[in-house]
Amino acid sequence: MHRYFNTVFIRLSAVVALPLLLLVLLSSPLHAATQNSGFANAASAWQQQPLVQTRLLSEFATITPGHIYTLAIEVETDPEWHTLWLNSDAGFTVQWQGPEGSYFDDVQWPTVQRFNSPASYGFTGHHYLLTDFSIPSDYADTLLATSEFAITATLTANIQLQLCHNTAATECVNNNAQHSVTLNIAPRSSEQSARPALEQHRRHFLAARQQLPELAPWQARFDIQGEQLTLLIESAAAVSLVQAASTTSAPYAYMGAPGLITNNAAQTIEYIDDIVVIRQPLQSQAAGFTPKHLPESFPVQLALANSSTNAKQHSLEFLAVAVQPEPASSGADYQTELSLLVVFVFAFLGGLILNLMPCVFPVLSLKAMALTNSGSSHKQRSESLWYTAGVVLSFLLIAGTLIALRAAGQALGWGFQLQSPWLIGALVFLFVAIGLNLTGAFQIGTRLMGVGQNSNLLNPEGGAQSSFATGVLAVLIASPCTAPFMGVALGYAITQPPALALLIFAVLGLGLAAPFLLFGFVPGFAKILPKPGLWMETFKQWMAVPMYITTVWLLWVFGRQTGIDSLTLLLLAVVLFATALWWWGKQQLQATRSRVQGSIVLVFLALAGLSFFQALSMQTTANTQPSLATTDNQWSQAKLDSLRQQQPVFVNMTADWCITCLANERVALHTDATQALFAEYNIAQLKGDWTMQDPDITEYLAKFGRNGVPLYVLYFPGQEPQVLPQILTNSTIRDYVEAGLNK
């Protein structure tokens, strides 16, 4: 009996204890890890929906906490339908669930396709969406150490996707799906750790990775400019790929920016130096966006082959980051004011130093003579103000023309007017006329040629016109030169809004006119001027010599631009023009003049004009040939890119009409000392000729914040380029070379 009761008690205890044990297990972490899972299953079942079927796959059936693994959403669409990329507000989205603290990375998108109707980007047919994940490193540590049971983790993907018909613009449907996989958990100390899933699953992941675009380590930034999004890719490799792809098909950039751009809109892709520029119109609702409304970043896929849905394409993916505006604060405002102040100081100093440039001296000698002749302080102030007005207004006129032409797409820089043989020839006639006027061959009264400052111009009206014309002429001749500090100010000004740019050019003009303003308004400076006398007539005639020397320089520039035949005809025109002025001067000395004598002047002027126009019409293609550089050392961006990877390179950007450039070449660059220095360290020399308009050289100058010549740049392999001063000496060049060698 006692044994019977023991048996009954044991059975009753088992009946009661078993449910209690199950209750404890159901509430334990072990059950939380294994519920709804049973055994590990690295693939979910296919879920069939209208037009699409999906499932979830894991690359590994057994994983280790704290390690990173990959999941794949496998998608199969109807051939006439496609899923949407993330650039659509209703595109493909996934919400992941897993053990608390799990990490799920962004979706790795396959190569995007373009569908013209509706205007959308997406994927069709059989494709995969990969995602990297990991579960917390401390997941179920105690259970893994003590339990004899298999520990698993369940991962769930809640998928929302929209499908659109490939050709019907209005046919789109929404679909939702939920998939789960259950994976075995291996202890972190286990040598076995992760265990592959079934072999057929591994083949899926191989196919999925083959669908991915190539990742490109490019720096890319984007911003809104006007009604379009502008994307900048700063990479020489990107430029090379786009340039090569453009020869066979049009590259195309897929931008994953939902609600921001107009899909399939006309897209422009350009490249400048080492930067690719891509522009695409904004959606209408995004037209009012400001930088603070922009996404921080978005992925971009650059397709470098045919972008049709059926053609295989080479795509590269990278991340575009928004250009962040500087925070508005008093400190930032102060920095802005400080930088503008520095630019204004540089502009003023550049204009002031421009007075010392050899291209300006011939005209300034006329102004100095005028101030000496003026006598009274009132006339000196008037002469100075009118001269300043001529200088500043001329700077504004040339700058305004330059800004307008650049806005219209012309690649022009400072001094662009002297790239025109027409203007060079006109200046030749002007300086010949000034020289003949100064020597007394003829008198022209109060006309523009009165810059000769003869005695008839000492009245207030004549002095004003004369001083203003001298200021205009000074700027016209000085503009091809750039002085120290001036290049920085010009490069900054040309990138600013027109109002600010014109203000900087006005300050530059004030710097050029500053010495004569001091002579006119500061008595101490005026006292150093010599008193007028008979000697002034001889001095005036001597001032014709710089005019004739300037004429020789202009003739040389004209010949380099147009060829020897055109130069010969221009010289003939100059002789005929000088003859007309000489004969006119003889008639001025006579009490009476006959119509026949006046007609002779007109005939010679007509012949001079005819010869001049014939010279321009006969100009050769010399401007397309290297004039300052041989074929071996002629600059090109491709040649520079090739050489700078192998050896040091010295780049000299110059022009025939740039007196500062020619002076530097004479006293520093073409000397035995500098050439021996370059030979000693195997420094290649490249020379860019900007005598005539050259958009490539203009772009190169802009890369260094310059808008004119001279520009000297020294390259060493693996180093940033070094910009040398605009006034060179042998020692300056040696210092920069030795500094580059010691880095």
Side-chain angles (χ1 to χ4, degrees):
M1 180 67 74
H2 177 71
R3 185 175 180 181
Y4 171 77
F5 279 108
N6 284 341
T7 303
V8 172
F9 177 77
I10 291 172
R11 291 179 178 179
L12 289 173
S13 299
V15 171
V16 174
L18 206 52
L20 291 175
L21 179 60
L22 289 174
L23 180 63
V24 171
L25 289 174
L26 288 172
S27 61
S28 70
L30 177 60
H31 175 265
T34 60
Q35 63 176 339
N36 300 325
S37 61
F39 298 102
N41 187 3
S44 70
W46 282 101
Q47 186 168 340
Q48 183 71 45
Q49 296 191 24
L51 308 175
V52 65
Q53 59 178 346
T54 58
R55 69 168 175 168
L56 180 63
L57 303 172
S58 174
E59 188 170 14
F60 290 89
T62 300
I63 62 174
T64 301
H67 291 203
I68 294 178
Y69 304 95
T70 305
L71 297 168
I73 299 174
E74 187 175 5
V75 183
E76 180 79 34
T77 68
D78 185 275
E80 298 298 322
W81 292 76
H82 64 273
T83 59
L84 299 182
W85 190 35
L86 55 71
N87 70 312
S88 170
D89 292 327
F92 204 127
T93 61
V94 184
Q95 293 182 344
W96 295 99
Q97 294 178 355
E100 184 177 357
S102 296
Y103 163 76
F104 295 93
D105 200 1
D106 294 334
V107 171
Q108 300 173 33
W109 302 100
T111 299
V112 181
Q113 297 170 293
R114 180 160 39 145
F115 300 89
N116 294 325
S117 182
S120 60
Y121 305 149
F123 319 95
T124 189
H126 191 193
H127 56 277
Y128 301 85
L129 307 178
L130 298 180
T131 298
D132 292 336
F133 78 98
S134 67
I135 64 173
S137 58
D138 59 353
Y139 177 71
D141 275 350
T142 303
L143 294 174
L144 287 169
T146 61
S147 176
E148 297 179 1
F149 298 97
I151 307 302
T152 61
T154 299
L155 308 175
T156 301
N158 294 300
I159 303 170
Q160 296 179 346
L161 57 88
Q162 186 179 64
L163 289 101
C164 292
H165 196 275
N166 294 348
T167 57
T170 59
E171 292 190 36
C172 290
V173 296
N174 294 322
N175 280 292
N176 298 323
Q178 185 180 79
H179 298 281
S180 296
V181 292
T182 301
L183 309 178
N184 287 325
I185 306 300
R188 283 178 290 160
S189 59
S190 172
E191 296 180 358
Q192 189 177 7
S193 68
R195 184 176 300 167
L198 298 176
E199 183 61 28
Q200 60 265 33
H201 292 177
R202 299 300 304 276
R203 289 199 295 268
H204 284 293
F205 281 87
L206 177 61
R209 291 188 171 97
Q210 290 176 341
Q211 291 182 357
L212 295 176
E214 178 185 349
L215 293 180
W218 296 340
Q219 292 185 356
R221 297 173 295 157
F222 70 91
D223 195 5
I224 288 179
Q225 297 181 350
E227 301 298 318
Q228 63 187 3
L229 183 143
T230 300
L231 176 67
L232 301 179
I233 307 172
E234 302 176 46
S235 169
V239 173
S240 299
L241 289 171
V242 170
Q243 189 174 14
S246 299
T247 60
T248 57
S249 61
Y252 190 84
Y254 297 91
M255 302 185 190
L260 192 59
I261 61 169
T262 299
N263 296 340
N264 287 341
Q267 188 180 86
T268 61
I269 300 182
E270 304 170 333
Y271 43 88
I272 303 173
D273 296 328
D274 292 342
I275 298 178
V276 177
V277 183
I278 304 175
R279 297 181 177 90
Q280 187 159 347
L282 297 174
Q283 287 189 12
S284 57
Q285 62 267 28
F289 269 29
T290 62
K292 67 180 181 180
H293 295 123
L294 291 175
E296 293 183 0
S297 62
F298 58 76
V300 180
Q301 290 191 20
L302 181 61
L304 298 176
N306 195 315
S307 58
S308 68
T309 57
N310 296 322
K312 186 177 180 181
Q313 59 189 21
H314 176 210
S315 292
L316 298 102
E317 183 173 308
F318 54 93
L319 189 67
V321 180
V323 175
Q324 296 297 327
E326 295 183 2
S329 64
S330 58
D333 292 341
Y334 172 75
Q335 292 296 331
T336 301
E337 293 174 4
L338 181 62
S339 57
L340 281 177
L341 178 61
V342 170
V343 171
F344 285 140
V345 170
F346 278 15
F348 185 84
L349 290 176
L352 184 64
I353 299 174
L354 196 59
N355 286 283
L356 303 178
M357 296 295 102
C359 49
V360 186
F361 173 75
V363 179
L364 297 187
S365 61
L366 299 176
K367 190 67 238 162
M369 184 173 61
L371 289 178
T372 303
N373 263 329
S374 59
S376 69
S377 59
H378 173 73
K379 290 181 179 179
Q380 289 175 350
R381 287 194 295 270
S382 176
E383 297 275 356
S384 299
L385 287 174
W386 279 106
Y387 172 77
T388 302
V391 168
V392 172
L393 290 177
S394 298
F395 263 111
L396 292 177
L397 179 61
I398 295 177
T401 304
L402 174 61
I403 293 171
L405 291 175
R406 287 178 68 96
Q410 296 291 320
L412 300 177
W414 188 244
F416 71 95
Q417 66 275 17
L418 289 190
Q419 293 175 333
S420 168
W422 286 81
L423 183 60
I424 294 292
L427 288 175
V428 167
F429 290 122
L430 178 59
F431 275 88
V432 168
I434 293 174
L436 292 174
N437 181 248
L438 290 173
T439 54
F442 74 101
Q443 303 296 326
I444 196 171
T446 59
R447 304 290 180 99
L448 178 61
M449 295 302 179
V451 292
Q453 310 294 350
N454 56 61
S455 58
N456 293 332
L457 299 181
L458 295 180
N459 61 75
E461 181 180 356
Q465 293 183 15
S466 171
S467 297
F468 185 88
T470 306
V472 172
L473 189 59
V475 174
L476 199 60
I477 292 299
S479 58
C481 295
T482 55
F485 304 108
M486 183 178 167
V488 175
L490 288 176
Y492 179 86
I494 208 64
T495 63
Q496 300 306 304
L500 180 57
L502 292 175
L503 181 59
I504 294 173
F505 280 104
V507 174
L508 185 64
L510 287 175
L512 178 61
F516 296 104
L517 283 174
L518 289 176
F519 280 122
F521 286 86
V522 180
F525 284 94
K527 289 180 181 179
I528 68 175
L529 293 175
K531 295 185 179 299
L534 294 177
W535 65 272
M536 292 300 299
E537 182 64 24
T538 302
F539 178 74
K540 183 184 74 171
Q541 294 176 357
W542 271 106
M543 285 300 97
V545 175
M547 303 299 114
Y548 295 140
I549 294 175
T550 303
T551 302
V552 173
W553 163 60
L554 291 170
L555 287 168
W556 177 70
V557 173
F558 184 89
R560 297 297 289 261
Q561 291 177 336
T562 62
I564 188 63
D565 293 339
S566 293
L567 176 60
T568 302
L569 285 172
L570 179 61
L571 286 171
L572 175 61
V574 168
V575 171
L576 294 170
F577 180 69
T579 302
L581 295 182
W582 164 74
W583 187 253
W584 183 20
K586 288 185 66 67
Q587 305 311 308
Q588 289 177 327
L589 299 177
Q590 298 178 5
T592 59
R593 306 173 191 173
S594 66
R595 291 184 178 181
V596 175
Q597 293 173 332
S599 299
I600 294 176
V601 173
L602 295 177
V603 169
F604 275 96
L605 288 176
L607 291 174
L610 181 62
S611 297
F612 177 46
F613 284 106
Q614 187 66 21
L616 293 171
S617 64
M618 286 185 59
Q619 59 181 306
T620 67
T621 57
N623 56 325
T624 64
Q625 304 298 326
S627 59
L628 291 179
T630 65
T631 303
D632 291 338
N633 72 346
Q634 184 182 7
W635 175 90
S636 71
Q637 187 64 55
K639 185 179 295 185
L640 172 61
D641 292 340
S642 175
L643 286 175
R644 63 179 295 193
Q645 305 300 324
Q646 309 167 22
Q647 64 184 110
V649 182
F650 182 85
V651 175
N652 170 21
M653 288 298 175
T654 183
D656 286 345
W657 37 258
C658 174
I659 298 295
T660 306
C661 306
L662 301 178
N664 283 334
E665 292 177 358
R666 177 70 64 180
V667 303
L669 289 177
H670 293 170
T671 60
D672 293 339
T674 297
Q675 292 302 310
L677 177 70
F678 287 164
E680 179 181 359
Y681 296 110
N682 191 30
I683 300 175
Q685 300 179 63
L686 295 179
K687 181 177 287 187
D689 183 2
W690 207 43
T691 302
M692 300 294 288
Q693 183 179 346
D694 189 326
D696 292 337
I697 294 180
T698 304
E699 291 177 4
Y700 181 82
L701 295 172
K703 181 178 179 180
F704 294 93
R706 295 293 179 83
N707 200 39
V709 290
L711 173 67
Y712 307 107
V713 186
L714 184 61
Y715 294 84
F716 281 91
Q719 299 182 20
E720 291 296 319
Q722 299 296 315
V723 178
L724 278 67
Q726 291 175 304
I727 304 298
L728 295 181
T729 63
N730 289 321
S731 60
T732 300
I733 298 174
R734 176 171 287 277
D735 290 343
Y736 274 84
V737 170
E738 292 178 348
L741 292 170
N742 293 329
K743 285 187 178 180

